[in-house]
Amino acid sequence: MAFKKQLEDYRFNLSRNRSWKYTAVLIFFFIGFLSLLTSKFYLQTEDPLYHTNTYESVSSNITGTVTIEKRVYHPASNSLDMVIKLDQTDEEKVSFVAQEKANPNVKLPVHLLYEDDGYYVVRVNDLSLNWEALAFDLYQENEEKERINVEDVTSDSDTDSTEEIDAHALITTLYSDQRKTKSEEGKGTKNKQEYALLVNDLEKQFVKKKMKNYDKAIAVEVKHKRQTQQEMNELQRDMKYQVDEEKADTESKIAMKKDKVQSSNESIHLYEDEQKSLKEKLQKLNEKQQDLAMK
C-alpha cells in the first residue's frame, strides 16, 4: 500500500510539474506578443531622411540642373547657408521656400545674400536646435501674371471674363540631413564682397574641372584616331595581296575608317574650341577676383 501511495504521489507531482511548465511557456509567449504590440511606444524608429550631396547635379525640367556648391550650418545663429548653382535657360525670377522636419507647418525665413550669373547664396534662419532635416524648394516665377479668358475655354459666350493665373512653378527640391551637414562655429556673417569672392572661387573651380574633362576627352579621341589610322594602314597593306573582289570589300572598310578619323578630328576641334573659351573665362574670373580684392 505504501508503494502504491508513493507511485500516486509521484504521478501527481509529475503532472503538476508539467502543468507549471506549460503555464510558464504560455506566459512567455503572452509577454512576447504584448511586447510586440507595444514596441512602437518605447522603441525609437528612425525614418530615412533625404540628403542632397554637394556637387550633385539635380535635374529639373525648367532650368536644366541645380547643384548645391556649398552648404554650412551655423548652430550659433541657428542658420544654414547654401550656395546654389542653377543652369538657367531664361531670366525668370527665382524664389525659395524652406521647411524643417521638426516643424513642417512653419515656413522658415530665407534671405538671398548674393546673386551672380546663376549662383545664389541663400541663408535659412530660425532653425530649431534639432531640425533633423530641411526641405528647400526653388520656384520659378514670371514677373507678369498670365491672364486667361475663362469664357473662351468653358463656353461660346461673348462675355469678357478673365482670371489671373500666377506662374509659380516648382524647379526642384533640395534636401539637407542635419547629421550629414557640415557645421561651423560662429554666425557665418559675411559682407557682399566676401560672398562675391566666394562665388568667384566656386566658378573658377567649375571652369578648371571642365577644362580637365575636355583634356580627358581629347586624349580619348586622339587614342581612337591613332588606333583607327593603324587599322586603316593594315587594310591598305593587305590590298596588295587581294583579288579585285576582295579589294572592293577592303576599300569599303577603309572608307568607314576614314569617316571615323574625320569624326575624331571634328570632336577634337570642338573640344579645343571649348577649352579656348574656358581659358578666356578663367582669365576673366582671375581679373574679377583681383578687382574684388582691391575694393
Side-chain angles (χ1 to χ4, degrees), residues 44-279:
Q44 293 183 352
T45 57
E46 290 190 358
D47 296 329
L49 301 178
Y50 296 105
H51 185 75
T52 306
N53 296 319
T54 53
Y55 304 112
E56 175 186 345
S57 296
V58 179
S59 60
S60 169
N61 293 328
I62 300 178
T63 61
T65 59
V66 182
T67 309
I68 300 178
E69 297 285 323
K70 188 177 179 65
R71 171 175 47 203
V72 180
Y73 171 54
H74 302 284
S77 59
N78 296 326
S79 62
L80 178 70
D81 290 351
M82 289 185 289
V83 181
I84 300 171
K85 183 178 184 299
L86 275 72
D87 291 332
Q88 291 175 285
T89 56
D90 47 42
E91 299 297 328
E92 300 296 345
K93 183 180 178 182
V94 178
S95 62
F96 313 97
V97 175
Q99 293 173 291
E100 63 178 17
K101 185 181 179 184
N103 297 294
N105 296 323
V106 177
K107 291 184 179 180
L108 299 173
V110 180
H111 297 289
L112 179 61
L113 304 176
Y114 184 79
E115 176 185 355
D116 181 43
D117 195 23
Y119 284 84
Y120 296 83
V121 183
V122 296
R123 168 168 292 181
V124 182
N125 287 316
D126 297 347
L127 284 164
S128 305
L129 292 177
N130 184 27
W131 46 276
E132 298 183 59
L134 182 79
F136 190 81
D137 296 330
L138 291 86
Y139 290 92
Q140 185 183 73
E141 298 179 345
N142 289 319
E143 293 184 0
E144 296 182 359
K145 294 183 178 181
E146 297 179 359
R147 301 179 68 87
I148 182 172
N149 192 319
V150 180
E151 297 297 335
D152 288 345
V153 178
T154 58
S155 69
D156 296 330
S157 173
D158 294 332
T159 305
D160 185 15
S161 176
T162 60
E163 179 180 330
E164 286 190 346
I165 297 178
D166 192 2
H168 186 74
L170 177 67
I171 297 174
T172 191
T173 301
L174 304 174
Y175 299 95
S176 298
D177 185 336
Q178 186 175 5
R179 298 167 300 181
K180 299 179 181 179
T181 301
K182 179 183 177 182
S183 297
E184 283 187 1
E185 298 296 330
K187 295 184 178 181
T189 53
K190 294 181 176 64
N191 56 38
K192 186 175 181 179
Q193 180 188 16
E194 290 173 315
Y195 286 124
L197 286 169
L198 171 63
V199 169
N200 190 79
D201 185 61
L202 290 172
E203 283 190 273
K204 287 172 59 178
Q205 293 179 26
F206 177 73
V207 170
K208 290 178 180 178
K209 184 178 179 181
K210 287 189 72 174
M211 290 175 65
K212 288 183 178 179
N213 289 338
Y214 280 122
D215 281 336
K216 294 177 181 178
I218 290 173
V220 170
E221 289 297 335
V222 169
K223 182 179 178 181
H224 287 168
K225 176 184 174 181
R226 187 183 300 116
Q227 182 179 350
T228 304
Q229 286 178 328
Q230 183 178 354
E231 294 172 353
M232 188 168 58
N233 293 336
E234 292 175 355
L235 288 171
Q236 288 174 340
R237 285 195 300 266
D238 292 341
M239 286 182 65
K240 296 179 181 179
Y241 313 102
Q242 293 176 347
V243 298
D244 291 341
E245 185 177 347
E246 292 173 327
K247 286 182 179 180
D249 182 58
T250 303
E251 287 175 350
S252 176
K253 292 179 180 178
I254 291 174
M256 293 176 63
K257 298 294 183 183
K258 287 181 178 179
D259 290 340
K260 287 186 177 180
V261 171
Q262 180 63 25
S263 177
S264 293
N265 285 331
E266 291 175 356
S267 296
I268 291 171
H269 290 321
L270 176 63
Y271 297 152
E272 288 175 343
D273 289 342
E274 291 291 338
Q275 274 196 327
K276 182 180 179 181
S277 177
L278 288 171
K279 286 179 181 179

Side-chain angles (χ1 to χ4, degrees), residues 6-18:
Q6 290 178 354
L7 181 61
E8 290 176 352
D9 291 342
Y10 173 77
R11 289 175 176 174
F12 174 76
N13 291 332
L14 183 63
S15 175
R16 186 173 60 180
N17 288 338
R18 288 176 178 173

Side-chain angles (χ1 to χ4, degrees), residues 275-290:
Q275 274 196 327
K276 182 180 179 181
S277 177
L278 288 171
K279 286 179 181 179
E280 293 175 355
K281 176 70 174 177
L282 185 60
Q283 182 180 353
K284 294 296 182 181
L285 289 172
N286 286 329
E287 293 173 0
K288 184 178 180 180
Q289 182 178 10
Q290 293 176 358

